[in-house]
């Protein structure tokens, strides 16, 4: 049943977002073609050297608009999917399925994370398409294996990379769960639930800053910062990354716990 739930959520989001990400790549290719044609025309000093000037400008604006739209639509759709599926009209059906609240939350979270990654990959790849010509791509393909070889030769560099990836993944999941928690808190209000969710988001941000200030103050009072400053640079870097991972994962766990608590004990679909 969990697999079917994941497939249902994936289809509901991918049918909107994947064509949007694909259109970003298509417009990047079109812009690259326009730029290449114009460059050759200008170099040959032909009369039609500026014939693609206006279409290229239009294509550039469309590409920029699609980049912005991809991020906005991704964010809005993932919020809508959580609210509509669990707190809206679909909630009556979803909570009758033989699936726990925990599984509902994690399915939403993982699909949202995958879509966020795909959005970033599509944007990054489109930038590469615009910035690199054929020769640059060949150079990049030569440099990439060398960079991987260097990474595996240096254990600390590989460790930094793995820690950085883990931290980014933990941060992304924690961010998604924090948005879900704010939506759940806003749903507790009898009226103006959207405003309540926005207020919860800002309130959560303030609480996070206060907690971070307390952690720094505690580290200073216990002498942890002095101990950290006297560590070897490599060890200090690893310790810092591990601390960031632990704090990020802990915040994500709290967001998940309170979201689950609200959906389990305080859910009101009326």
């Amino acid at each position: 049943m969990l697999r079917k739930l994941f497939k249902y959520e994936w289809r509901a989001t991918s049918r909107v977002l994947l064509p949007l990400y694909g259109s970003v790549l298509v417009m990047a290719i079109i812009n690259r073609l326009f730029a290449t044609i114009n460059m050759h025309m200008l170099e040959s000093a032909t009369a039609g050297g500026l014939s693609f000037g206006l279409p290229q400008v239009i294509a550039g604006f469309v590409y920029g608009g699609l980049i912005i739209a991809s991020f906005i639509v991704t964010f809005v759709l993932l919020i809508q999917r959580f609210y509509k599926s669990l707190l809206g009209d679909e909630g009556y059906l979803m909570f009758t399925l033989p699936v726990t609240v925990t599984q509902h939350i994690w399915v939403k979270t993982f699909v949202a994370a995958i879509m966020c990654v795909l959005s970033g990959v599509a944007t990054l790849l489109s930038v590469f398409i615009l910035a690199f010509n054929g020769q640059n791509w060949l150079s990049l393909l030569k440099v990439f294996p060398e960079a991987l070889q260097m990474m595996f030769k240096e254990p600390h560099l590989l460790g930094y990379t793995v820690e950085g990836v883990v931290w980014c993944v933990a941060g992304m999941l924690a961010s998604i769960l924090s948005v879900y928690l704010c939506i759940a808190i806003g749903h507790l209000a009898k009226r103006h639930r959207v405003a309540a969710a926005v207020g919860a988001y800002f309130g959560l941000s303030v609480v996070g800053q206060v907690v971070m200030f307390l952690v720094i103050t505690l580290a200073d009072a216990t002498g942890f910062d002095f101990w950290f400053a006297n560590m070897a640079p490599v060890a200090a870097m690893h310790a810092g990354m591990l601390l960031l991972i632990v704090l990020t994962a802990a915040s994500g766990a709290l967001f998940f716990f309170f979201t689950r608590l609200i959906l389990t004990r305080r859910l009101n679909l009326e």
Side-chain angles (χ1 to χ4, degrees), residues 90-169:
E90 291 184 19
Y92 291 101
L93 174 62
M94 286 296 179
F95 286 107
T96 60
L97 299 175
V99 180
T100 65
V101 173
T102 297
Q103 291 172 330
H104 275 298
I105 297 173
W106 280 121
V107 166
K108 301 288 185 188
T109 304
F110 284 134
V111 172
I114 292 172
M115 288 303 171
C116 289
V117 171
L118 291 178
S119 176
V121 169
T123 301
L124 187 61
L125 186 57
S126 69
V127 172
F128 282 153
I129 292 172
L130 289 173
F132 290 87
N133 56 30
Q135 187 174 1
N136 295 139
W137 276 107
L138 291 176
S139 301
L140 183 63
L141 291 176
K142 292 180 181 179
V143 171
F144 187 70
E146 295 176 359
L148 287 178
Q149 187 177 6
M150 181 182 300
M151 183 184 301
F152 283 103
K153 283 184 178 180
E154 296 291 338
H156 294 299
L157 184 59
L158 180 61
Y160 296 149
T161 304
V162 172
E163 290 164 357
V165 171
V166 172
W167 179 46
C168 289
V169 172

Side-chain angles (χ1 to χ4, degrees), residues 228-264:
F228 187 79
N230 285 277
M231 292 177 65
V234 173
M237 187 68 177
H238 284 299
M241 290 299 299
L242 291 175
L243 181 61
L244 286 174
I245 292 172
V246 170
L247 291 176
T248 304
S251 64
L254 288 174
F255 298 149
F256 168 78
F257 172 78
F258 286 110
T259 303
R260 183 183 181 279
L261 183 66
I262 293 173
L263 294 182
T264 303

